[in-house]
Amino acid sequence: MHNFLRREILFLRRPLNLTSRVLLLLAAGALAAAIFLPLWKIHLVAPQYREGLALDIFSHKLVGGNGGQDLHEINTLNHYIGMKTLSQADFAEMTWMPFALGGFCLLALRAAVIGRMASIVDLGVLFLYFTAFSLGNFYYRLHTYGHTLDPRAPMTIEPFTPVMLGSQKIANFVQTSLPQSGGYMLAVFIALLFAAAWCSRKELP
Amino acid sequence: MKKSLLISATLATALLPFSGCNPPGQKSAGETKTASAGTPAARTYVAPGDKDEYYLFYSGGHSGQVYVAGIPSMRHISTIPVFAPYPATGYGFDEESKKMLGDYSWGDVHHPGLSKKDGVYDGRFLFVNDNANNRVARISLSDFKTHQILGPIPNSSGNHGSSFVTDNTEYVLVASRFSVPLPKGRYADPKDYEKEFNGMLSGIKVDPQSGEMSVGWQILTPPFDWDLGSTGKGPSEGWAFWTSYNTEMAHETLEATSTQGERDYAAVVNWRAAEAAVKEGKATMLDGVPVIDPAKVPGVLYFMPVPKSPHGIDTDPSGRWIAAGGKLQPVASVFDFEKIMAAIAKKDFESEFRGVPVIRYESVLEGSVPVGLGPLHTQFDGRGNAYTSLYIESVVAKWKLPPWTAEEKADLNKVILDKIDVHYNIGHLVLGGGDTKKPYGDYLVAMNKLSKGRHLSVGPSQPESSQLIDVTGQKMAMLYEAFTEPEPHFAQIIKADTVNAIEVYPKADNKHPHAVWEAKDTGVVRNGNKVEVKMIAIRSRFIPDRIDTQEGDELTIHITNVEQTTDMIHGIGIIEQNMNVVIDPGETKTLKVTMTKTGVFPFYCTNFCSALHQEMQGYLTVKPAPTAETAAK
């Protein structure tokens, strides 16, 4: 145990070599890109919507495909089952999410400059927590929208949760939900943190 | 080595068509059917979900409309209402289309003409004429709707010789079939026809950007009955030609009196000179239009004799050969535009008629091709062949255009290449791009005047038959037959990909002053006895869905279909108010009804829109007007 703690202290005090610092810079870049790229896409296909209806979720906005028209169409269809209108204004997280990502971006730059393994660990832990929170929140949102259906709606369907990753059939639609370039950037960020730590794992303090 | 290079080059070009991507439903270029493969059934079969290669725009004759079909399937796809109300699209019910129709509820559509650029179709507009009420309409091919109806055109009566579009859509050219005393509204005894009546050739100016039409200029003519025409191209660009069938200037029992002469005069018009003459102030204003007297302005109009009451006069793709159908003579007369120019330059005229030179017939005729009985109208395939419809013979004749060999010239029967029977009594025919510099040259549609029971019996009022003919081979091949509403005259065929039609009206482009898009902006406003409603239609409700009025009120509804989804069309029909307006996605229309009856009048969506379309309804209430008694309370 004593040994383990010593190794841990030693590890956290390891300086970062040039490679690791460059990887951290790249990680900051990936995160900066994620602010502007779509994180996730929900896609709906039915016989009469062969090209499908698309909804792109960004850190700061909700964008319907087909020049924004698909969002109107999804809302028009959803009103038949009594689902609440999807509107960007209802997503408070879209106001702070870009800043949170920006903050992590700054922390990555700080780690690159300070050059300590401890900074990477801090950043990684915080970011993993943030990711878990975001995914959980996303699921909660989907669940809430699918479970608060207006009882006076023309069509009554069993409450449901739209799928978050993969495909499922809802009435006449096949709904598919997958991460997009922005979402992958978040994964790339985590991978780069690990890579940065790995490259300096033998550096002597 | 060279050989292998050649083979690989051929392979590369053969693979090229596969490298492009195609919009859904369109065949990839690699599997496009050639008209020479397989049976007629296979060649005309467009599988469910596939699309036709060409649009066919039929004139609807006295139905007043234009029909759209596909080639090679010959399937009727849609109807474009032009000169007559059409409840299917609410045309003629809303204020906008009512205003276009004016005082008329029908028209007689004869000759559609597509807009052109550099002598080939550009896919922007389709112009059609109204023979009955002297109008020209412009259909936009971006939404397949009538956008403008011009007319009745002043000083022009019986707008049959139209719509002939110049090479760059500078003008739609129009000629009068009937002569009347001018200006219109003047009385004269038809006995004084020769002296008091006049015909007219008109240049309808087209705005290059918007397509907006206006009357540019007119040329006064003797009271001949102008028939069909065509515009020049290439060497004859800037010129136009019309036939006439009453050079006798008869005014009663024309079937005998107007067919006495051996020849009638065709008009050879230098429309650029007409345009310039008006600019130079050489025209006189008549009923608000600058009219040129050709006797006073030389170089604008020439007469050219053509055998016996001709019908069509068509310029070939090269612009040099002009073929006129003799109608009452079994020949197609071919004139050489180069010789026409030479005759004009040399003043080689046989006479003069009311101050207009008559070009010497023998000097300009290249030959009379003995096509057969009743030649009417000629089209071209771009490979040096002409196709003439023979009404009496019920045949399409294929013949070779000049230049002819000495042997052919000696016996012009030798240039007749093929004949094919049609069923029955063909009037016009159309070849894809047949009036342009570059015909497609694969399909021909014969528009027959009689079908004589070649279909399931529908009683005495019989449809017209149209037949699709493959002209790619040496011999013409009959492919298919379709039936249409009365009555196609001419038609136009255009490649599908030349046309770029929208599927919804983008919200951003809606310029209607009373369009609203949100429920909160809708409402009913009363102003005296005028009630004005701003309404939206969306699956599956009208907002507002209750309108309260009083007897004697004038109700105006501005209704916006706020959908932006393809085919999400709504309608509003008001019970017992003779009102049905149909609104396409993103469109706003205005309708007016005067409340003459009291009671409650349900209104509902007439164009099926969704699973709850039946529930899309509302109520219009009309209270009795207050009497002295009720007002006192």
Side-chain angles (χ1 to χ4, degrees), chain B residues 69-371:
Chain B
I71 287 180
S73 75
M74 297 295 277
R75 293 179 294 189
H76 172 264
I77 298 169
S78 80
T79 297
I80 304 172
V82 186
F83 294 115
Y86 187 62
T89 59
Y91 188 78
F93 289 81
D94 58 277
E95 291 301 302
E96 292 83 0
S97 56
K98 263 164 85 175
K99 196 168 144 216
M100 271 200 299
L101 289 171
D103 300 333
Y104 303 98
S105 56
W106 81 290
D108 190 1
V109 182
H110 275 238
H111 313 118
L114 285 161
S115 59
K116 296 178 199 151
K117 191 169 189 314
D118 303 325
V120 293
Y121 301 146
D122 63 4
R124 293 180 69 206
F125 304 115
L126 181 74
F127 300 94
V128 294
N129 65 323
D130 168 14
N131 184 28
N133 304 310
N134 310 319
R135 295 173 295 169
V136 179
R138 185 183 86 253
I139 295 161
S140 165
L141 296 187
S142 78
D143 61 358
F144 280 53
K145 288 202 182 138
T146 305
H147 281 245
Q148 189 194 0
I149 296 178
L150 176 82
I153 300 166
N155 314 320
S156 180
S157 180
N159 180 23
H160 183 266
S162 150
S163 318
F164 306 114
V165 181
T166 58
D167 258 6
N168 287 294
T169 321
E170 297 94 337
Y171 289 97
V172 174
L173 299 175
V174 167
S176 56
R177 175 179 164 190
F178 302 115
S179 291
V180 292
L182 294 179
K184 280 186 203 170
R186 186 168 72 87
Y187 168 81
D189 192 321
K191 279 211 299 281
D192 303 324
Y193 184 82
E194 250 184 77
K195 198 159 60 74
E196 294 290 347
F197 289 53
N198 276 101
M200 197 64 86
L201 306 173
S202 313
I204 305 299
K205 201 167 176 43
V206 180
D207 182 274
Q209 263 66 52
S210 65
E212 198 70 10
M213 303 178 290
S214 55
V215 184
W217 42 259
Q218 294 184 311
I219 303 168
L220 187 76
T221 75
F224 305 159
D225 292 37
W226 297 110
D227 197 349
L228 278 172
S230 66
T231 51
K233 48 182 88 77
S236 53
E237 200 269 330
W239 293 74
F241 315 94
W242 279 275
T243 56
S244 75
Y245 60 84
N246 183 19
T247 306
E248 295 84 348
M249 297 186 286
H251 65 276
E252 47 192 3
T253 37
L254 253 62
E255 73 166 354
T257 53
S258 77
T259 51
Q260 296 307 303
E262 273 312 300
R263 288 175 194 158
D264 285 282
Y265 290 146
V268 175
V269 180
N270 182 343
W271 63 258
R272 284 204 194 282
E275 191 181 36
V278 169
K279 275 208 182 92
E280 290 158 18
K282 291 179 182 165
T284 320
M285 294 305 278
L286 182 68
D287 205 357
V289 179
V291 176
I292 298 163
D293 179 349
K296 292 181 189 147
V297 186
V300 169
L301 174 66
Y302 301 90
F303 292 144
M304 182 171 77
V306 177
K308 211 117 178 135
S309 308
H311 192 57
I313 182 162
D314 299 284
T315 317
D316 88 314
S318 77
R320 180 174 173 185
W321 309 110
I322 298 154
K327 197 162 84 181
L328 301 179
Q329 272 212 338
V331 296
S333 308
V334 184
F335 298 94
D336 181 350
F337 186 74
E338 285 181 17
K339 289 179 180 169
I340 293 174
M341 286 295 96
I344 288 172
K346 288 200 304 243
K347 296 212 170 6
D348 184 7
F349 303 133
E350 56 184 49
S351 61
E352 200 175 76
F353 189 93
R354 295 196 185 175
V356 177
V358 180
I359 296 166
R360 190 178 302 283
Y361 174 68
E362 294 75 13
S363 304
V364 293
L365 182 77
E366 185 68 17
S368 301
V369 181
V371 285

Side-chain angles (χ1 to χ4, degrees), chain A:
Chain A
M1 185 71 202
H2 179 72
N3 248 347
F4 172 77
L5 290 174
R6 279 200 51 175
R7 282 219 307 276
E8 183 213 14
I9 289 161
L10 183 65
F11 177 74
L12 289 174
R13 282 173 58 205
R14 286 189 195 279
L16 300 181
N17 61 20
L18 183 63
T19 313
S20 296
R21 289 177 188 234
V22 169
L23 288 173
L24 283 173
L25 285 179
L26 288 175
L31 217 44
I35 297 173
F36 302 100
L37 292 171
L39 300 171
W40 220 269
K41 186 200 273 293
I42 295 178
H43 199 245
L44 297 161
V45 177
Q48 65 274 46
Y49 295 96
R50 296 186 56 175
E51 278 83 55
L53 299 167
L55 197 57
D56 277 312
I57 301 162
F58 289 73
S59 67
H60 58 291
K61 62 179 179 182
L62 198 58
V63 180
N66 192 7
Q69 166 53 25
D70 286 359
L71 179 56
H72 293 286
E73 191 62 20
I74 289 168
N75 282 329
T76 303
L77 294 168
N78 283 345
H79 102 276
Y80 283 112
I81 57 168
M83 192 186 276
K84 206 161 151 287
T85 304
L86 289 170
S87 149
Q88 196 179 301
D90 295 340
F91 292 92
E93 49 274 58
M94 286 186 181
T95 57
W96 55 256
M97 180 83 83
F99 297 101
L101 290 171
F104 282 112
C105 188
L106 288 172
L107 286 175
L109 290 175
R110 177 178 174 271
V113 173
I114 288 174
R116 278 287 170 78
M117 194 62 82
S119 320
I120 294 188
V121 173
D122 286 347
L123 177 55
V125 169
L126 273 175
F127 191 77
L128 281 174
Y129 165 73
F130 166 79
T131 307
F133 171 83
S134 298
L135 291 173
N137 179 59
F138 184 29
Y139 180 83
Y140 170 74
R141 283 285 189 189
L142 291 171
H143 182 274
T144 312
Y145 271 95
H147 282 75
T148 40
L149 302 174
D150 183 348
R152 292 188 66 257
M155 287 170 72
T156 310
I157 65 164
E158 279 297 304
F160 66 104
T161 306
V163 70
M164 193 163 127
L165 193 66
S167 286
Q168 72 175 14
K169 206 160 161 44
I170 312 168
N172 56 329
F173 280 93
V174 174
Q175 180 235 335
T176 307
S177 178
L178 290 170
Q180 297 297 293
S181 51
Y184 294 128
M185 284 296 158
L186 301 183
V188 165
F189 177 76
I190 294 171
L192 286 170
L193 286 192
F194 272 102
W198 182 259
C199 290
S200 296
R201 72 189 183 284
K202 291 183 177 157
E203 292 294 324
L204 292 174

Side-chain angles (χ1 to χ4, degrees), chain B residues 375-389:
Chain B
L376 292 184
H377 176 225
T378 303
Q379 288 264 288
F380 309 93
D381 65 6
R383 295 187 295 271
N385 303 308
Y387 299 78
T388 301
S389 56

Side-chain angles (χ1 to χ4, degrees), chain A residues 49 69 73 76 79-80 154, chain B residues 24 539-541 564-565 610 612:
Chain A
Y49 295 96
Q69 166 53 25
E73 191 62 20
T76 303
H79 102 276
Y80 283 112
Chain B
R539 272 163 291 170
S540 315
R541 56 205 186 281
Q564 290 282 279
T565 303
S610 66
L612 293 166

Side-chain angles (χ1 to χ4, degrees), chain B residues 543-587:
Chain B
I543 305 172
D545 59 1
R546 175 171 175 170
I547 301 167
D548 296 311
T549 67
Q550 199 169 282
E551 194 184 355
D553 279 350
E554 188 190 272
L555 171 68
T556 305
I557 302 175
H558 308 290
I559 179 165
T560 303
N561 175 348
V562 300
E563 309 275 7
Q564 290 282 279
T565 303
T566 301
D567 209 8
M568 208 40 74
I569 302 165
H570 295 294
I572 179 169
I574 312 177
I575 302 285
E576 286 183 23
Q577 297 285 352
N578 191 36
M579 181 51 69
N580 171 46
V581 164
V582 178
I583 329 98
D584 292 342
E587 190 176 39

